[in-house]
Amino acid sequence: MSSSIRAGLFGALGMTFVGGSVAVSGALAEAPLHTAQALRYAVACLLLLGWVRLTGHPLRRPRGTEWLWLLGVTMSGLVLFNVALVHGSRHAEPAVLAVAVACVPVALATIGPLLEGHRPHTRILVAAVVVSVGAVVVEGLGRADAIGLAWAAVVFVCEAGFTLLAVPVLASHGPAGVSVHTTWLAAVMFGVLALSTEGWRAATRFDAGAVLAIGYLAVGVTAIAFILWYTCVRRLGTGRAGLLTGVAPVAAAVIGIPLTGAIPGVAVWCGVGLIACGLAVGLGVNAQRELVARIPAETRTQGDVRGRVAVTRVNQAPIGCPRSRG
C-alpha cells in the first residue's frame, strides 16, 4: 500500500470518528460544558503521552513563535469551536452550523497550499467545491437568526484554523507533538473556564451516559483522530487532506441509521454521491500524478515536511507513521 493511500485512509478513519461524535453529543446536552471539555482533553492528553512514551517518539518543548501557532490551534479549533457550537445552537438549527463546517474544504484547498509554499491547484479547488456542496446536501439547510449566522461564521473560521494553524508546526513537532501540546493547553483553558463558571463540584454531576460520551470524545474524536488527521495533512498536504472532511457527514448519516431506525432520503444519498465524486477527482491517481508533475524537482523528496506529494525514484519506501485516532 502506497504512502498516499495509507494517509488517505488515516484521514478518512479520523473523520469517521468525528462523524460518530454526532451520535453521542446528545448525552452531553445537559452536562456542564466546560468541565466536560476539560476532562475530555485531559484524558486525551494522558493517552497521547502514554502512546508517545510507548512508541519512543520524541516530544520536545515548543520554542519561540511555535507557542503562538499551537495556542492558535488550541484557541480556534478546540476551545472557541466548541463554545461556538453551543452558543450557535441556541440561535441556529444544527444544519446551519453543519453547513459552516461543510465549507471548510474550500478554505483548506485555497489557503493551505499558500502556507505550504505553492499555489492552490485547480483540480483540488474544484474537488473541494464538489465535496462541500455534497456535504451541504447531506446535512440539509436550516433556519437561523443574525446571531446564529454570526456563530456559524465563527464555527467555520475555527474549524479551518484547526488545520491551517497547525501547518507551520507539523514539520518540527509532528502529529504526536501537535496533538499532545494542543490537548494539554485545551485542558488548562477549559479547566480555568470550568472552575470560574461551573465550580469544582460540576464533575460530580455527570451521569453514566455523559461519562461514556466524554470517553468517546477523549479516545476516538481526540486522541486517535488528532493523530490520524495530522498525519494525513502532513503526507497529503492541506488541500488534498481537506477533501476528506467530507467523510464526517457521511459517517454521521450512516451511523444514524441503526440508532434512529430511519433510512436517509434521496437528497442525502445524492449528497453522498457528490462527496464521492469530489474525492475521486481530488484524490484519484490522475490527480496525484498531476500534482507531482507541477511540483519542482527539488521539492520532490520523501522527507518534505510540508506534506507535499513526496516521491523519489531512488527510494520508494513510504514514510514511517506513528501508530498506536484531535
Side-chain angles (χ1 to χ4, degrees), residues 120-168:
H121 300 286
T122 303
R123 181 187 289 267
I124 303 301
L125 285 172
V126 171
V129 172
V130 174
V131 168
S132 293
V133 171
V136 170
V137 174
V138 171
E139 298 288 356
L141 299 176
R143 294 173 297 178
D145 58 21
I147 297 178
L149 292 176
W151 278 117
V154 173
V155 167
F156 166 75
V157 172
C158 290
E159 178 67 7
F162 174 72
T163 299
L164 294 174
L165 295 177
V167 172

Side-chain angles (χ1 to χ4, degrees), residues 17 62 66 98 160 178 187 204 209 211 214 228 255 262 269 275 314:
F17 278 110
E66 292 176 345
V178 173
T204 64
V211 171
I214 292 172
L228 291 175
I255 293 172
W269 295 114
I275 292 173
V314 177

